[in-house]
Amino acid sequence: MLIDFHTHTTASDGALSPSALLQRARNRGIRLLAITDHDTVAGYQAAVAEYNPLGNALRLVPGVELSCVWSGVTVHVVGLGMDCEHPVFVAGLARLAAARTERARVIGERLAKLGFPGALEGALQEAGASQVGRPHFAAWMLARGHVDSLARAFDRYLGRGKPGDVKAFWPELEDVTAWIVQAGGVAVLAHPLKYALTRSKLRRLVADFVAAGGSAVEILNGRQTPEQSRQLRLLALEAGLEVSAGSDFHQDSSWGAEVGVELRHLGGLRGVWQRWLPPQESPSVEVT
């Protein structure tokens, strides 16, 4: 059985439209799909508008990936199954949209000081109707010939610790977790190993996440080594968390994973997907 609870579309920084991603998932025989664009549910809403559940083997689950800060570190929390019209959740998304706008302004100012005037306007043009983010600044820099690749833009200007790495405007971890939970959703700590935290800090992050109402952690996100998956299974076991999994699909590439995750590879913790599957369809595997 294939599921995917972490995907992106053109509503944020993905390459496929919501419609195209939905069709890709159908073609691959995915059973459960969540479109989890950054700080917006526009991708999910566009997909659900054309989705017909009758006679459809694929089930579309509401999703989002929210940006926040914990101890000065930018962290992402995936929300699944929430009421996208809940007033607390809607207000939270509006706050994040404002934060993204202000963050983009600061990134533009910093790039201008480095000799790249017009970066903000260029990034907004690249983004179009999407949520503006660093990938759009990178795309503008590449199009204008300021860098020779998107990777170079991040390595020199936009990546962790670089001038375009602006964190100050994101809300706190407990805030975004509360928005998801109050809207009836499941809060999932996204890709815990990507934050480059020490083992003790990662445990502190998980403890604070649980205290805020979080109930699951991603144990598979894109391409990982068996050792990384083992670490995350142990983390989930120690904290008593459910587990989630996704491809973190953005676009077709040699380094990224294809849409869809095979459940039999996840190990034997309780999966969040069991909330949306009939009991007889939920895979049962032993903890390893």
Side-chain angles (χ1 to χ4, degrees), residues 20 63 78 88 124 130 175 194 199 204 206 234 261-262 287:
V78 165
V88 170
L124 290 172
S130 306
D175 292 334
K194 289 190 177 181
R199 187 180 183 88
R204 279 178 45 218
V206 171
L234 289 175
V261 173
E262 176 55 67
V287 177

Side-chain angles (χ1 to χ4, degrees), residues 119-132:
L120 176 58
E121 294 77 8
L124 290 172
Q125 186 173 5
E126 290 285 342
S130 306
Q131 290 277 52
V132 66

Side-chain angles (χ1 to χ4, degrees), residues 240-265:
L241 290 170
E242 294 179 58
V243 297
S244 186
S247 63
D248 200 1
F249 178 84
H250 286 75
Q251 60 186 342
D252 293 316
S253 67
S254 58
W255 46 264
E258 175 60 281
V259 179
V261 173
E262 176 55 67
L263 291 184
R264 68 185 179 194
H265 297 155

Side-chain angles (χ1 to χ4, degrees), residues 120-237:
L120 176 58
E121 294 77 8
L124 290 172
Q125 186 173 5
E126 290 285 342
S130 306
Q131 290 277 52
V132 66
R134 287 178 297 171
H136 301 114
F137 282 96
W140 174 80
M141 295 183 81
L142 178 61
R144 293 296 296 266
H146 297 311
V147 293
D148 57 11
S149 70
L150 296 176
R152 184 70 167 168
F154 275 88
D155 290 343
R156 293 197 61 182
Y157 303 107
L158 298 167
R160 187 187 300 272
K162 304 303 179 182
D165 182 22
V166 178
K167 307 180 181 69
F169 303 104
W170 300 134
E172 295 292 326
L173 171 72
E174 57 265 32
D175 292 334
V176 301
T177 303
W179 301 341
I180 295 167
V181 174
Q182 289 183 46
V186 180
V188 182
L189 183 62
H191 40 64
L193 298 183
K194 289 190 177 181
Y195 309 127
L197 299 174
T198 64
R199 187 180 183 88
S200 61
K201 283 187 177 180
L202 182 55
R203 284 174 170 168
R204 279 178 45 218
L205 167 60
V206 171
D208 288 347
F209 176 65
V210 172
S215 56
V217 61
E218 281 185 350
I219 62 167
L220 185 59
N221 179 273
R223 292 181 175 174
Q224 291 172 188
T225 67
E227 173 58 22
Q228 288 172 326
S229 295
R230 186 190 70 82
Q231 290 178 42
L232 292 173
R233 286 199 298 271
L234 289 175
L235 187 69
L237 278 170

Side-chain angles (χ1 to χ4, degrees), residues 26 28 33 45 47 51 69-70 75 77 84 100 102 120 125 128 183 198 200 206 212 221-222 238 274 277 280:
R26 286 193 185 112
R28 287 184 51 77
L33 175 71
Q45 291 172 330
Y51 170 76
V69 173
W70 174 86
V75 172
V77 177
C84 295
R100 275 195 173 270
E102 183 63 11
L120 176 58
Q125 186 173 5
T198 64
S200 61
V206 171
N221 179 273
E238 290 174 357
Q274 295 178 10
L277 284 175
Q280 64 272 20

